[in-house]
Structure formats: C-alpha cells, structure tokens
Amino acid sequence: MNKTIVVTDSTADLSQDEVIQYNIEVVPLSISIDGQHFTDRVDITPKEFIMKMKKSSELPKSSQPPVGVFLEIYEKWIDKGYQVLSIHMASELSGTVRAAEQAAQMASGKVTVIDSRYISKGLAFQVIEAAKLAQNGSSVNDIIKRLEKVEQATHLYLVVDTLENLVKGGRIGKGAALIGSLLNIKPIAKLENGQYTPVKKVRSHSQAVSFLVKQFIEDVKGKAVKGVALVHADGRSLANSIKAKIDELQLFDPVSVEETTPVISTHTGAGAVALIYYSE
C-alpha cells in the first residue's frame, strides 16, 4: 500500500505543532507591501504584518506559490515512495489550486489536488482530517469521500471591523466607506461554495457576538460539534468575546483563538474575526 502525504498552503492557519503531529507539508504564499516581499509566516509574523499594513497607503498583494515550488515538493515525496494529496484554499479566492494542478500534471507520481472551497480553519479541518486518515492507512479515494462530508458540514462567518481594505482594493468607494464608518457598520459575511456572501450588517461588537452565537446554535442543533475555531487579524478582543459565549454552551472544547495569516489579513483588514466550525 502506498503511503500518502498531505500537502496544503499557508492559508490553512495550521500551528507548527499540528504540522509536526500530522506530518503535513505546508507551501507558503508570498506577500508584497510597500515594495517589500515576504514569505507568508516564514519571514514575517501576523503582528508585524498588521503593523505594516496599518501604515501603508496601498493594499498589500498576495501571490500563490509558483508551479515549480509545488512540483519540487511533490517530487520530494514521490521519491520517498509517497502519493500526494494536495488540499488548498478555495479556487475563487486564489490561483493556488490551479498552480498545484499544473504541478500535479507534471509530477512523476500520483498527485491528487483538492479544492477545499474554504480558507483558514475551514481548510485546516479538511487537512487535519485527511492527515489523520492517511496516518491510519486510508486510501486517497476514501479520504476524498470523507473530506466532501467535512466540507458540507463546515460553516465560516467573517466579521469585518473596518472598510479600509475594501476601499484600497477598489471593492467599494470612499463615500460608502465614510458612511459605513460614521454608522459603525460592521458587515458579516458567510463563505459558501468558495465565495463570500453578505448575511448581516451590525453596528457593534456585541451585536456581532449575538448574531454569530445564535447562528452557531442553529447550525449545530441536534449534531455533534467536531471543531470550533476563531481566527482574527488584530481582533482578539472580539474573538475572545465570541469564544466566551460559545464556551458557555459547553458543546465543544477547546475553542481555539488564533491569529490568521497575513495573506488573509490583506483582504479582511485589521480587526476582522472569523468563526469557523463543523458538526455532524
């Protein structure tokens, strides 16, 4: 039976302990800001990036890993007798999956590329599940079937605290951002089928907490909660408030609170928080 190695990208927001424990290969994206280039989570930390982003007048840019980098990693594991299962962030949000697919076509062994349709811990849920199954000797086909169920059971809600990055990215006009800021509007969106869909506008963190906790309760009702995580871009206070309310429900432990990758912070702006969970 062939051994299987799980490969993913740095937007999965995996901890170093998880990478080591589950033997996961992480391919980093890159970020450019004010003429400087960084490798995601390698030579710049989330906190350092947030500080640079707040001072910058331009929206930072992220880039997917080159095809050659994927191919080199695939060949390294193929030479060791592994087949590769490469699981990545939603194709609607990045060209990472396409780069991985191109490398897979060039590889000398079996490489299967999966579009998780998620990002951050939504991607990590699938990656860790795949790695566990791979360690237990499951076939790639069986792992893929399991990942489809995890994807369907996952929910990701994002609270945006500032409209600044949306303005810098040309997604909304400065006038709309000014109105939103004056009204303290904080949009909440759901990531579904690889795309963000606005679901609610709130005017305070307390309203955001109430909405997200209520949504969480509705989504997991009558089900076993398998994973809950909060990730933030300099938004720990809001993330901790959501965690406290979810902890009170005593449906899952531990609910983690972690800083997200600079690649994600680039698009959400400072203060953003995502609540991500899955239940079956």
Side-chain angles (χ1 to χ4, degrees):
M1 181 184 297
N2 281 345
K3 299 174 291 183
T4 302
I5 184 71
V6 174
V7 176
T8 190
D9 59 74
S10 56
T11 66
D13 281 337
L14 292 170
S15 69
Q16 192 58 32
D17 288 342
E18 289 170 330
V19 170
I20 295 170
Q21 180 181 355
Y22 298 114
N23 191 30
I24 298 166
E25 179 83 53
V26 179
V27 186
L29 278 76
S30 59
I31 312 140
S32 300
I33 182 169
D34 292 333
Q36 294 180 293
H37 302 280
F38 300 95
T39 303
D40 190 20
R41 285 190 182 269
V42 174
D43 50 18
I44 188 168
T45 67
K47 285 183 179 178
E48 290 169 343
F49 178 77
I50 289 288
M51 290 177 63
K52 286 181 176 293
M53 184 172 68
K54 285 181 176 180
K55 295 176 182 177
S56 177
S57 60
E58 298 179 357
L59 184 71
K61 296 179 181 179
S62 59
S63 303
Q64 71 257 24
V67 174
V69 171
F70 276 116
L71 183 59
E72 183 178 344
I73 289 171
Y74 294 161
E75 292 296 346
K76 177 184 74 173
W77 288 103
I78 290 168
D79 288 345
K80 294 179 180 180
Y82 283 80
Q83 54 185 332
V84 179
L85 182 57
S86 204
I87 311 167
H88 298 285
M89 66 186 293
S91 57
E92 289 85 356
L93 304 178
S94 167
T96 302
V97 166
R98 298 294 168 253
E101 289 174 339
Q102 290 177 40
Q105 293 173 357
M106 300 162 64
S108 61
K110 183 178 180 183
V111 180
T112 304
V113 178
I114 299 293
D115 181 349
S116 73
R117 312 308 300 279
Y118 275 97
I119 198 169
S120 186
K121 294 298 182 179
L123 166 57
F125 289 154
Q126 294 183 44
V127 169
I128 291 175
E129 185 73 8
K132 288 179 179 178
L133 292 172
Q135 288 179 339
N136 290 331
S138 296
S139 69
V140 169
N141 285 341
D142 286 343
I143 295 173
I144 291 172
K145 289 177 183 177
R146 174 64 187 144
L147 296 188
E148 289 173 352
K149 293 182 179 179
V150 174
E151 179 201 333
Q152 292 166 5
T154 298
H155 299 271
L156 187 157
Y157 289 92
L158 172 70
V159 185
V160 178
D161 193 57
T162 174
L163 302 177
E164 184 178 357
N165 278 41
L166 296 176
V167 173
K168 289 179 181 177
R171 289 179 172 85
I172 62 172
K174 291 183 178 180
L178 177 62
I179 293 170
S181 298
L182 289 172
L183 296 175
N184 282 325
I185 290 175
K186 304 180 189 303
I188 300 177
K190 182 177 184 180
L191 183 59
E192 202 166 31
N193 296 321
Q195 296 182 323
Y196 284 107
T197 303
V199 294
K200 186 77 173 178
K201 291 180 180 178
V202 298
R203 294 190 180 181
S204 67
H205 280 175
S206 61
Q207 288 181 358
V209 173
S210 296
F211 174 82
L212 291 173
V213 173
K214 180 181 178 182
Q215 195 65 52
F216 172 78
I217 293 170
E218 289 179 5
D219 288 337
V220 306
K221 187 176 182 180
K223 301 175 183 177
V225 181
K226 298 291 187 178
V228 184
L230 287 145
V231 297
H232 67 92
D234 196 30
R236 184 172 291 275
S237 176
L238 174 56
N240 284 339
S241 296
I242 299 168
K243 171 180 164 60
K245 290 296 183 180
I246 291 179
D247 283 342
E248 289 176 5
L249 302 172
Q250 297 184 339
L251 293 176
F252 185 82
D253 183 63
V255 176
S256 65
V257 176
E258 301 172 35
E259 292 175 309
T260 192
T261 165
V263 169
I264 296 176
S265 301
T266 292
H267 301 287
T268 64
V273 174
L275 171 61
I276 312 161
Y277 50 91
Y278 80 108
S279 58
E280 297 176 310

